[in-house]
Amino acid sequence: MGGVRELAASFVVPGPCGVAVRDRLKHLTPRDEEVLRWVGEHQGRLASRDLKARCADGVEHGADSWALRKRELTPLSSSRIAGAITKATHDQWALARRCQAAHIQTLEAGIRTLRQRLSLPVGKRGTKRAAGGYRSKNEWFRKSRRLAALEARHAVVVADRQAGRVRVVRGGRRLLNTRHHLTEAGLTEEQWRERWEAGRWFIAADGESGKRFGNETIRVTPDGEVSIKLPAPLAHLANAGHGRYVLTSRISFAHQGAEWADRITANRAVAYRIHLDTKRGRWYLTASWQRPVVKTIPLEAARARGMIGVDSNADHFAACRLDRHGNPVGGPRRFFYDLSGTAGHRDAQIRHALTRLINWAKRVGVAAIGIEDLDFTTEKTREKHGRRKRFRQLISGIPTGRLKARLVSMAAEQGLAIVAVDPAYTSRWGGQHWQKPLATSHRTMSRHDAAGIAIGRRALGHPVRRRTAPPPHDRSDRAGHRTVQAGPGTRGREGTRPPATDRPPGGPSPNGTRKREPSASNTVRDAPSTQQWVQDSLMHTG
């Protein structure tokens, strides 16, 4: 086992701590849409101004500067709107800061790989653990130029981080760059301008416990009435008292509607956000709130009724059900999805595949699903894999982050636990120990199916191998049992399985008739044996 790294312990993934539901604002009048646009544009300008001030503060930002920004925004909106804007600005700056640190790590990984390969002789072959030299002098020269470019880029990013500068765009950098490629994007300048302006609007409000229906700025009553507290410069547009504007639309959350109604009835905090989908021309309202942190079930409780091991791949989930002893039950299952197309299509495909997986887990009666704790952040660099573009596309297509977030939240709604395991060697050891033994003439076992069994066994606390440490003397185990074998308390562990007919050779059949024993042949060579021995391997229960 030399060279095998130490495996991390399996653990139950904590459940989600927040909920977000969305509903469409239907039957809005032209006046409603006009007011929403004015409010979004006005508060969007304030948010852009506040983000500029926050970026200028850099790492010198503190509670005093935060309070100063809020006081400057309050006369132009309201105290609660100013608080929501400054909080959103702070979160956006912090996200950009984290992305900056991740970008530095990626650049440093690429620089290390390039330096290591450039230091080797041209044409030197690599190993499984380390890449070799470049194939030609031309490639060596081009990679040396790329190394210089990465080092220059790294120096700029490090200088920005030390100075507290971040590169952030309200509305999204991708949409900003689309302005220069309208033909490729299939957009006109007017369409792009509409998306750009809608992306920079700000119509959101944080919830407040103890206030009426959990939010004073954007209030939604139990019967679905939506009203907005207008900012001070737009107070003349109000159609209700206290500077509020009531929309003609009524909302009703189909998903988690009962939980939302319970919260607002008890005046507990609920945050709201209103945005325009410019592609469809529809307005939506999103409600979100936090749940109290729920302690996850113990790992032993999650293992009590077996496990479903899931191997995540670029186009499907390979799943296999195992009992609590680690034995496969039934055949493998595959849940396919297509990750081509738009982001919405990909997200819908993942949700559909996970829904089928969770429904199957509920039908078979397991309490948990085992998955790999995957992270391909350091595996996607072109410097590490070189010409292997298809392999880079393959690992980039596996939705590790989105998969874990979706699976945890969807499984929690159905009362299922998620057990994360170390992904090391699951495909290799699964194919080595499980692929061939479980393949039959009527069932094909792929390497991914075998990896699902390996993941499930690791989640159950069993080793991946089917049998280890055979008895040193004979089959009676007088020197001790195998390390992966039924315990002393398991009934029938020492015996053999009965014949398929469940009767002794030559004995009466289940319908009462007696089957004739085979007669001896005239020659010894082809004489059939009149004694039938059945010695099937025992199922492993340890």
Side-chain angles (χ1 to χ4, degrees), residues 344-400:
H345 175 263
R346 295 193 299 268
D347 191 58
Q349 287 283 309
I350 293 175
R351 288 200 311 268
H352 183 52
L354 292 179
T355 300
R356 288 179 288 153
L357 172 63
I358 292 174
N359 290 339
W360 178 51
K362 294 290 289 184
R363 286 197 305 269
V364 299
V366 299
I369 297 175
I371 62 171
E372 294 176 302
D373 191 12
L374 291 173
D375 185 10
F376 288 139
T377 304
T378 61
E379 303 292 333
K380 300 179 183 179
T381 59
R382 53 185 284 192
E383 285 75 25
K384 182 171 183 177
H385 299 291
R387 293 184 177 89
R388 302 170 64 185
K389 294 183 179 180
R390 296 193 64 180
F391 181 74
R392 297 204 319 261
Q393 294 173 355
L394 176 65
I395 61 177
S396 298
I398 299 178
T400 55

Side-chain angles (χ1 to χ4, degrees), residues 406-536:
R406 287 285 184 190
L407 181 57
V408 170
S409 60
M410 294 174 66
E413 297 297 331
Q414 300 297 328
L416 295 174
I418 303 299
V419 180
V421 303
D422 194 313
Y425 316 112
T426 53
S427 296
R428 184 189 307 175
W429 290 351
Q432 178 182 354
H433 299 291
W434 293 97
Q435 185 176 4
K436 186 176 180 180
L438 293 181
T440 64
S441 59
H442 301 287
R443 179 179 63 194
T444 59
M445 285 287 296
S446 68
R447 190 179 180 90
H448 304 303
D449 300 328
I453 298 176
I455 294 168
R457 287 182 64 86
R458 187 169 290 174
L460 288 167
H462 303 310
V464 175
R465 294 184 63 182
R466 293 181 297 128
R467 292 228 172 188
T468 58
H473 297 319
D474 49 42
R475 305 184 72 173
S476 63
D477 291 357
R478 76 177 48 144
H481 297 291
R482 298 176 185 267
T483 55
V484 183
Q485 188 169 332
T490 304
R491 299 179 57 185
R493 64 185 251 284
E494 297 288 357
T496 60
R497 292 184 181 179
T501 57
D502 201 21
R503 62 182 175 87
S509 61
N511 56 10
T513 61
R514 188 178 184 86
K515 183 178 180 181
R516 180 180 179 182
E517 297 184 11
S519 59
S521 175
N522 295 329
T523 61
V524 178
R525 176 181 301 173
D526 56 354
S529 174
T530 58
Q531 188 175 14
Q532 299 181 6
W533 292 94
V534 178
Q535 181 67 40
D536 292 336

Side-chain angles (χ1 to χ4, degrees), residues 22 28 56 77 86 94 102 110 113 117 120 143 156 213 227 239 264 284 297 314 370 395 438 515 526:
R22 188 180 71 173
L28 291 176
S77 54
T86 53
T113 303
R117 297 193 67 181
L120 299 176
K143 291 300 181 180
V156 173
F213 303 129
S227 62
N239 60 0
I264 64 172
Y284 292 93
I297 65 174
I395 61 177
L438 293 181
K515 183 178 180 181
D526 56 354

